Amino acid sequence: MSTTATVGEMANSAVEFYPKRGAGGGAEANHTGDFGVTLEELRTLMELRGAEALQKIQDNYLSTEGLCQRLKSSTTDGLSDNPADLEKRGQVFGQNFIPPKKPKTFLQLVWEALQDVTLIILEIAAIISLGLSFYQPPGEESESCGNVSGGAEDEGEAEAGWIEGAAILLSVICVVLVTAFNDWSKEKQFRGLQSRIEQEQRFAVVRNGNVIQIPVADMVVGDMAQVKYGDLLPADGILIQGNDLKIDESSLTGESDHVRKSVDKDPMLLSGTHVMEGSGRMLVTAVGVNSQTGIIFTLLGAGEAEEEKKEKKAKKQDGAVAMEMQPLKSAEGGEVEDREKKKANVPKKEKSVLQGKLTKLAVQIGKAGLVMSAITVIILVLYFVIETFVIGDKKWLTECTPIYIQYFVKFFIIGVTVLVVAVPEGLPLAVTISLAYSVKKMMKDNNLVRHLDACETMGNATAICSDKTGTLTTNRMTVVQAYVGDQHYREIPDPGQINPNTLEIIVNAISINCAYTSKILPPDVEGGLAKQVGNKTECALLGFVLDLKRDYATVREQIPEEKLYKVYTFNSVRKSMSTVVKLPDGSFRLYSKGASEILLKKCSFILATGGEPRSFRPRDREEMVKKVIEPMACEGLRTICIAYRDLPGDPEPDWEQEADIVTELTCIAVVGIEDPVRPEVPDAILKCQRAGITVRMVTGDNINTARAIAAKCGIIQPGEDFLCLEGKDFNRRIRNEKGEIEQERIDKIWPKLRVLARSSPTDKHTLVKGIIDSTIVEQRQVVAVTGDGTNDGPALKKADVGFAMGIAGTDVAKEASDIILTDDNFSSIVKAVMWGRNVYDSISKFLQFQLTVNVVAVIVAFTGACITQDSPLKAVQMLWVNLIMDTFASLALATEPPTEDLLLRKPYGRNQPLISLTMMKNILGHGAYQLVIIFTLLFVGEKIFNIDCGRNAPLHSPPSEHYTIIFNTFVLMQLFNEINARKIHGERNVFDGIFSNPIFCSIVLGTFAVQIVIVQFGGKPFSCAPLNVEQWLWCLFVGVGELLWGQVIATVPTSHLKCLKEAGHGPGTDEMTEDDLAEDEEEIDHAERELRRGQILWFRGLNRIQTQMEVVSTFKRSGSFQGAVRRRSSVLSQLHDVTNISTPTHVVLSTANASASLGNAGGESIP
């Protein structure tokens, strides 16, 4: 009790030691909120590691207890449960959650969807069309104005005029709503997933002397948190008391070895790291955005809004300081920065490859449509003027002006009709439906897509840089081979194959001589893999016991931990662990396990086949190394030897003489442990390679294991020319003498590089950037990257598609990624490639169909209008055709399921045109067939069918059979051509797999049914006269002709058609450079202006000095490299981009010493 009393008193006195500052320091006192330490002090403290951190605590607070008192907390009782106090801590030091980006509202999403170029063209056309349809002609025509038969409209047509415009607007609204709704529901799904994960996390803290579980978000600075193995630390803190605490900091530093934490060596615990062994208590010193993970999040821009608010506040307070700081910002930096900010404020969504190509194509088609419609209008006007005023020899009378205008307006409407038919309004809809459908289906394939365009980019991927652990392998150490009783088992032996006596000893040796904290728990999800807790190697051995159909838990129950007589724990010197137990007869038995090369030297006996020991001489040992251990090591296995020794109980051995005790052992077994490759991975990688995608493995593991795993996966094949490098080598090869990275050096390496081992996250980012920026191959490489650690953030952001692990991934990785693999499995990536290619193909199919209809409809409307002054297809019929070819076709063709065949071709690449030569051949071929049929029907149809001619029909005449046949034939040809459009690579069998797509079948049949209804019962509104059976059969016959004609076209080799051109290329390089040049010029102008002021050198000098000071201090501290970033960025305030995370590293290198390894610069040693 007395201790707590004194602590309490000291806490009170601490407050008196730090009385509130006078009026002058009002702001300051406000900051600390009566605590003896400020948020800034804590932030800088948490950037230090090891001895420096201890020194700083010593200097500033005398001890960790001192810091604890300043935070008004107790090392034993923690905080009081006083809500006011907790509230206040939350205000002063922040709360323990990282504010998510504000989700876009539905209206914002709608507004974004409206920005599409095609949609804008359509909206304009629709509004004009609507406006004109409400224009009523004045008065009846007077005789004197000349009654020109301008292809008179009937009433139905005049009344139905507005339908055209309204329908277009309706289709635009559909597209926009579908797009917005998709984005919105996707966002919602993702947030749901996140919040579900967040709410489930709870953590143990001490409040009022009691240990309670609280939600992670409720933790505040000053809390005493209980940490134990398996925990993911939710906040930064300082260790107050610890037992054998080991932390896996790989998610922050990429350091694969566990870091030992102790109160007197390295007490700094960081959020987002995992506790691997031991337990302890920590004083929470930084939460939420101020914790190390929070800081990285802020760099990734998740907490942007928060920062802005803070900046505003800071500006008010630091007005004076800011003035002094100003000159440090280089002026060009300042101006460039303002420009950057302006740019950044415009919500510029990077267009995906496909969107770029489509927009370009839509604009091209739109232009062509405009030209056609303009020509149509001009021809009609000229025709009218010549006929009326030249041939008819009429004068232009003023009272006739409104009537003439009415004619011109009618011509204009015909022009707009042509334009409307020409513009493919179905394009955006098709893209949206296709992507949305794919994303929904990809959820079933364990891909949670966060950014729609990632799905389609994945189809173009040419390279995948994958992690090893957890993605290619199962991330669980497993015993895969064993040498027991003179027998080398290449698979886990059946318990019956092993002598019962030997089996008993194995089970006991493993169960007792593994830390009792290591255990195997049932899986979290049904059908998942069992969970391993504690030391991975020990878990592998315990798994081996379970594989032998025995249970280690029963052994542990018989001999609980407190009954263990003596334990020699594992350490790096011993490389083994031994446990002594007392047997019922009073004698002792020692169980030992450890690295085989060390333990076998201490073995004098070995258990033979019958379970009895026989002598084990050096000669036998050498043979065993050759026959068993080396073959295992070559396969990338880690070999562990398990042994025992019986010791007499009387006299009791001297346990301190370890060398005398752990010797003359009897070897029981040698097992080979590995992190096994997931069974489905080799097949998936083979598929990738067939599909023209290079898989590279980037891992923190050593090069031998990495090479063995890569060979097992099939990433490297014997006889191939490939490179396997370590991070150090890689860095040496890509940097010049000054230590700067050179693109041409990377270009020499990456094409052959297959394995990068012992790599840091910065290496991963460098590699990805190097491959993307490379220009040695004609196609720009599209790179996908998988990552799970916080440190993979920059690489995931830089890649074209970033995959984060849904199970093992940290939040930072998920936030930076485009697609989340919900099962952490590489084979899901292959599914993503398949879906991505499918999206691309679906859109090509749709285009092939759509453009055929467009070409035909435009030409028919155009020639019809020019020759007969009236389009053979009426506005309402056009609308129905538009509906079929746009909305329905996009539904039918965009929902084709993917097939494995998609993985048999190479990626299209960024510059590949959307419309290939084969497709162009199909479009023009089918277009020609349809035009021939329609013009034949238009001009000689009445003779063929022996019916009344429909051309130049007088006003208000009923709909003619002639024009109905034309309309019907046209629609049926489209229907059958839709089946042709299912194949775009010139395949012959267009029916292949048609029944696997029920949507397609139902749409084709549904359209056919509706068409019958329209023709037979559509009457006046649709300008249709009912047809008899014979006429229907002829129309059907011509329609089916499309399928036969398709076979004819497929026979013509594309290579012979030299005249064809592809269309819909990606945004060309020329366009890119113009922008860049303009930017460069701007920068040059800025520079010149600065020179005139004669200040630029002064700014640069200051900048340089600052950087140098930065470097020196970084080296002195070699603090965490986020710290360096933050300090440098606050000075230069130019953190525009995540890549800056890696910049300071290069600065440090280049200025200090090129030979300093990257690791030191980043504050992370590379083993």
Side-chain angles (χ1 to χ4, degrees), residues 703-881:
I703 190 136
N704 292 334
T705 314
R707 198 184 272 126
I709 298 280
K712 278 185 187 150
C713 296
I715 291 178
I716 53 182
Q717 257 111 20
E720 256 186 19
D721 180 17
F722 57 79
L723 277 175
C724 296
L725 290 181
E726 283 198 343
K728 288 202 296 281
D729 276 353
F730 176 68
N731 272 305
R732 205 184 58 243
R733 291 194 188 191
I734 62 170
R735 292 172 191 277
N736 59 16
E737 295 71 51
K738 295 185 192 143
E740 293 158 351
I741 294 171
E742 286 189 356
Q743 183 63 43
E744 48 269 29
R745 286 173 185 251
I746 298 184
D747 286 345
K748 289 200 184 88
I749 295 177
W750 74 258
K752 285 186 182 173
L753 185 68
R754 290 293 175 273
V755 177
L756 184 56
R758 281 265 178 257
S759 68
S760 69
T762 330
D763 297 341
K764 194 171 188 174
H765 181 260
T766 311
L767 177 66
V768 173
K769 187 174 179 310
I771 297 180
I772 289 179
D773 295 347
S774 174
T775 47
I776 50 169
V777 277
E778 72 278 9
Q779 294 283 14
R780 147 139 147 57
Q781 294 279 308
V782 179
V783 183
V785 169
T786 68
D788 50 9
T790 306
N791 49 17
D792 291 326
L796 288 170
K797 269 268 206 243
K798 178 71 195 162
D800 295 289
V801 184
F803 285 92
M805 302 296 142
I807 303 169
T810 57
D811 292 349
V812 175
K814 288 179 189 169
E815 190 61 34
S817 68
D818 303 298
I819 298 180
I820 293 176
L821 296 176
T822 49
D823 63 344
D824 289 13
N825 195 334
F826 187 83
S827 61
S828 304
I829 299 179
V830 182
K831 301 228 179 81
V833 173
M834 214 155 81
W835 276 108
R837 294 187 169 190
N838 192 49
V839 167
Y840 204 95
D841 279 9
S842 298
I843 286 160
S844 297
K845 289 172 190 175
F846 172 70
L847 270 175
Q848 177 171 302
F849 174 68
Q850 163 99 46
L851 292 179
T852 312
V853 185
N854 272 8
V855 168
V856 175
V858 168
I859 294 178
V860 168
F862 172 71
T863 44
C866 296
I867 297 170
T868 63
Q869 312 231 321
D870 182 16
S871 173
L873 298 171
K874 300 289 181 286
V876 188
Q877 296 177 347
M878 272 294 193
L879 205 65
W880 168 234
V881 170

Side-chain angles (χ1 to χ4, degrees), residues 15-74:
V15 183
E16 284 148 34
F17 278 129
Y18 294 93
K20 277 205 171 164
R21 318 285 200 289
E28 186 66 57
N30 207 9
H31 255 303
T32 62
D34 313 348
F35 294 103
V37 60
T38 63
L39 178 62
E40 276 310 304
E41 284 173 30
L42 288 174
R43 258 179 88 148
T44 35
L45 176 63
M46 291 320 291
E47 275 156 26
L48 304 174
R49 302 278 173 277
E52 296 149 26
L54 282 169
Q55 192 55 47
K56 176 106 176 191
I57 294 173
Q58 201 68 41
D59 297 350
N60 292 10
Y61 317 106
L62 302 176
S63 68
T64 32
E65 275 74 24
L67 175 58
C68 197
Q69 286 152 20
R70 289 209 191 180
L71 285 170
K72 297 187 187 166
S73 177
S74 144

Side-chain angles (χ1 to χ4, degrees), residues 1057-1068:
L1057 303 170
K1058 292 276 187 290
C1059 52
L1060 289 186
K1061 255 185 74 189
E1062 305 132 322
H1065 288 266

Side-chain angles (χ1 to χ4, degrees), residues 831-977:
K831 301 228 179 81
V833 173
M834 214 155 81
W835 276 108
R837 294 187 169 190
N838 192 49
V839 167
Y840 204 95
D841 279 9
S842 298
I843 286 160
S844 297
K845 289 172 190 175
F846 172 70
L847 270 175
Q848 177 171 302
F849 174 68
Q850 163 99 46
L851 292 179
T852 312
V853 185
N854 272 8
V855 168
V856 175
V858 168
I859 294 178
V860 168
F862 172 71
T863 44
C866 296
I867 297 170
T868 63
Q869 312 231 321
D870 182 16
S871 173
L873 298 171
K874 300 289 181 286
V876 188
Q877 296 177 347
M878 272 294 193
L879 205 65
W880 168 234
V881 170
N882 243 352
L883 196 70
I884 298 176
M885 70 183 191
D886 283 347
T887 322
F888 291 163
S890 60
L891 261 174
L893 293 168
T895 53
E896 289 269 298
T899 56
E900 290 279 330
D901 300 347
L902 288 169
L903 293 176
L904 298 177
R905 63 171 175 76
K906 298 275 176 276
Y908 280 140
R910 288 185 160 252
N911 314 336
Q912 176 85 11
L914 263 179
I915 299 172
S916 62
L917 287 176
T918 314
M919 285 166 62
M920 208 61 170
K921 177 182 75 177
N922 290 342
I923 292 170
L924 297 177
H926 287 293
Y929 173 81
Q930 296 182 11
L931 284 173
V932 168
I933 298 282
I934 285 175
F935 285 135
T936 312
L937 288 175
L938 183 58
F939 295 113
V940 292
E942 69 272 26
K943 299 193 182 74
I944 300 173
F945 286 105
N946 198 9
I947 45 177
D948 297 332
C949 171
R951 291 193 302 283
N952 300 331
L955 234 77
H956 310 318
S957 55
S960 65
E961 285 182 8
H962 183 190
Y963 273 23
T964 308
I965 288 178
I966 294 179
F967 165 60
N968 197 21
T969 312
F970 184 64
V971 172
L972 290 178
M973 286 195 295
Q974 302 321 329
L975 267 185
F976 284 102
N977 194 29

Side-chain angles (χ1 to χ4, degrees), residues 632-645:
M632 282 188 186
C634 288
E635 290 177 41
L637 305 188
R638 188 190 295 174
T639 52
I640 303 279
C641 173
I642 303 166
Y644 78 105
R645 179 187 184 187

Side-chain angles (χ1 to χ4, degrees), residues 309-328:
K309 281 183 207 150
K310 277 198 196 125
E311 270 170 27
K312 280 180 197 154
K313 253 198 205 150
K315 272 183 192 148
K316 282 182 197 153
Q317 286 173 7
D318 310 338
V321 191
M323 291 304 291
E324 294 162 30
M325 292 281 295
Q326 212 46 48
L328 292 179

